[in-house]
Amino acid sequence: MNRTIRTIDDVLALMDRMFASDADRWTGNASTWWDGFYADRSKPVPFFVPGPDESLVSYLERGLLKPGRVLDLGCGPGRNAVHLASLGFEVDAVDLSPAAVTWGEERAKEAGAEVRFVCGDAFTSPEVAGPYDLVYDSGCLHHLPPHRRVSYLGLLERVLAPGGHLAITCFAAGGMGSEKSDEELYRDGELHGGLAYTPDELRWLFSDYAEVELRPMVRQPPGGPLFGAPFLLSALFRRTQTSSPR
């Protein structure tokens, strides 16, 4: 069949295929790549540390976030999920990689924290069901191609409760990640390791939300209890009672 487009999902799937297969970091097909990435836990990868994001700890200490239901989107080895669960949050932690989920489950067990880990695609998994009071994303958004921002916003519309919060940590323009335009990425057929965002680009993308805070992460000392690197942006947004993300 040559005519394959009937729905928005068909369009998104077609655009997925415009990228080289080895560029895929966002669909279920990418699980093998991520498993390889997480195979050696001793690698000097900054976010392999067990501690949570410094920005998350800051939000909690200032009372900007209160215990409730959380979706940890692209949770990796679960360091933020475990921290939230240890403070009384009810956490669903989702990742494409079985290796990451296994590592996260081990960390949760060691910490005595109850986290429900889900291995799969958060955009399509029936196990991801709101409403959530917090969607936490430390490193997922910047691995999505431009058209999958539509899927991302659609997920938020489905699962984030009115008055709930979205917290994001992503590559910062000028620090890490590709600053090529969306059009150039499709011409290249790759994401060049991840996309960098400026503060204004994040504000535009989430313009239906109320901005609570947006800043660079604060560098943390090696071996410290928290994770923080200045090549990342941290942003906290609130879904208002009337907002309806597009």
Side-chain angles (χ1 to χ4, degrees):
M1 177 180 283
N2 293 323
R3 307 293 170 242
T4 60
I5 304 297
R6 189 172 66 87
T7 68
I8 291 175
D9 285 341
D10 293 335
V11 174
L12 295 175
L14 172 66
M15 297 185 79
D16 284 341
R17 296 193 296 272
M18 294 179 70
F19 290 89
S21 59
D22 61 359
D24 185 356
R25 302 289 184 271
W26 65 94
T27 76
N29 295 326
S31 60
T32 300
W33 189 92
W34 285 112
D35 280 348
F37 180 79
Y38 288 114
D40 181 1
R41 299 182 184 183
S42 66
K43 286 191 301 187
V45 176
F47 57 85
F48 277 13
V49 298
D53 291 342
E54 62 80 15
S55 49
L56 174 60
V57 172
S58 175
Y59 304 149
L60 293 165
E61 289 180 343
R62 288 180 286 156
L64 299 177
L65 300 175
K66 303 294 185 182
R69 290 195 72 213
V70 180
L71 172 63
D72 189 351
L73 188 61
C75 65
R79 56 192 178 81
N80 292 302
V82 169
H83 183 71
L84 287 165
S86 72
L87 296 176
F89 288 79
E90 181 184 346
V91 185
D92 290 347
V94 185
D95 201 278
L96 293 170
S97 167
V101 166
T102 296
W103 192 357
E105 289 173 336
E106 292 172 8
R107 282 179 165 175
K109 184 177 180 179
E110 290 170 1
E114 185 175 343
V115 178
R116 187 173 78 101
F117 285 94
V118 176
C119 187
D121 182 348
F123 301 125
T124 60
S125 174
E127 296 185 73
V128 176
Y132 293 103
D133 302 294
L134 170 64
V135 173
Y136 196 78
D137 170 3
S138 186
C140 177
L141 177 67
H142 57 225
H143 286 301
L144 298 179
H147 63 280
R148 284 297 171 182
R149 295 178 201 136
V150 176
S151 303
Y152 193 102
L153 292 172
L155 175 68
L156 295 178
E157 183 174 8
R158 292 194 305 274
V159 306
L160 184 59
H165 287 85
L166 166 68
I168 294 176
T169 299
C170 67
F171 290 155
M176 180 174 285
S178 174
E179 298 182 36
K180 289 194 172 188
S181 70
D182 289 348
E183 291 85 351
E184 289 176 300
L185 298 172
Y186 287 101
R187 294 191 192 104
D188 294 346
E190 61 177 304
L191 300 183
H192 303 285
L195 310 186
Y197 286 85
T198 67
D200 282 344
E201 286 169 342
L202 287 182
R203 292 185 177 107
W204 170 79
L205 181 58
F206 301 107
S207 56
D208 289 310
Y209 294 81
E211 179 184 330
V212 179
E213 182 173 279
L214 203 166
R215 61 169 175 81
M217 287 194 88
V218 177
R219 186 191 303 275
Q220 299 297 300
L226 306 179
F227 168 76
F231 59 77
L232 297 167
L233 284 176
S234 289
L236 182 65
F237 297 95
R238 185 182 70 256
R239 184 174 184 179
T240 65
Q241 297 293 325
T242 57
S243 64
S244 178
R246 291 183 292 273

